[in-house]
Amino acid sequence: MESSQRTERLERAGGLEEFAAWVESLMRGRGYVIDGPRGGGKSRLADDAGVHRAAVTRLLQRQSMPDLETMRRLAVVLGVPLRDMLIRSGRLSEQDLPLEPELGGGGGAGARISPEEAARRMGIPEDLRGLFVKVARQFLPEGS
């Protein structure tokens, strides 16, 4: 049992290393200076994302993986889909988050889902789904 726990820790550490390196490259690409002695880019990213600076520091020092909300906020600021963040972090796999929704009934790649179904699949709370549907319908072609 102890051996499997050690293996699991090593796998997590490797995943954290790869994920942190990917986030660093995104940060550099977006103009966050993280290589200088002052490291102001870390603080700026945390401020821009509205997350604790310690969360960014712990990630970049390969100490811990950010929680889901921190990943969501970082994804927005770094301009990447949350799906990519979750897959790159190892929290979920591509099979867990397929690009094409599994529609059944022969829907195929061109099939569309309703705004109501989209809200349900995205986990939007029921009390907010009506608002989501109303806004989403404004962006759909007539008759959709």
Side-chain angles (χ1 to χ4, degrees):
M1 184 70 155
E2 188 175 306
S3 176
S4 67
Q5 289 175 341
R6 188 176 314 121
T7 301
E8 187 177 313
R9 278 196 305 268
L10 288 172
E11 287 174 3
R12 277 195 309 247
L16 178 58
E17 172 64 37
E18 288 177 21
F19 181 68
W22 179 68
V23 170
E24 285 177 345
S25 70
L26 291 172
M27 290 175 68
R28 286 183 186 101
R30 306 298 183 286
Y32 291 97
V33 178
I34 58 174
D35 298 314
R38 300 180 77 188
K42 296 172 194 173
S43 295
R44 197 175 111 226
L45 175 66
D47 292 345
D48 290 351
V51 300
H52 291 284
R53 292 175 185 175
V56 173
T57 299
R58 284 192 304 268
L59 169 62
L60 297 180
Q61 291 179 348
R62 281 69 168 164
Q63 293 174 347
S64 69
M65 193 69 75
D67 62 27
L68 179 60
E69 180 61 19
T70 300
M71 280 192 194
R72 185 187 67 75
R73 290 171 180 244
L74 291 175
V76 169
V77 171
L78 294 173
V80 297
L82 178 58
R83 176 185 188 275
D84 291 356
M85 277 273 183
L86 294 171
I87 291 171
R88 292 275 193 150
S89 72
R91 292 207 172 193
L92 294 172
S93 69
E94 291 189 47
Q95 291 75 28
D96 295 326
L97 296 170
L99 284 174
E100 291 294 326
E102 296 175 13
L103 297 173
R112 292 197 173 157
I113 60 173
S114 68
E116 292 85 353
E117 178 65 10
R120 186 190 66 76
R121 290 185 185 191
M122 290 190 301
I124 295 175
E126 286 189 41
D127 60 324
L128 297 175
R129 286 185 190 171
L131 178 60
F132 172 86
V133 168
K134 182 178 178 181
V135 171
R137 287 196 189 283
Q138 294 177 16
F139 297 97
L140 295 174
E142 292 289 323
S144 293

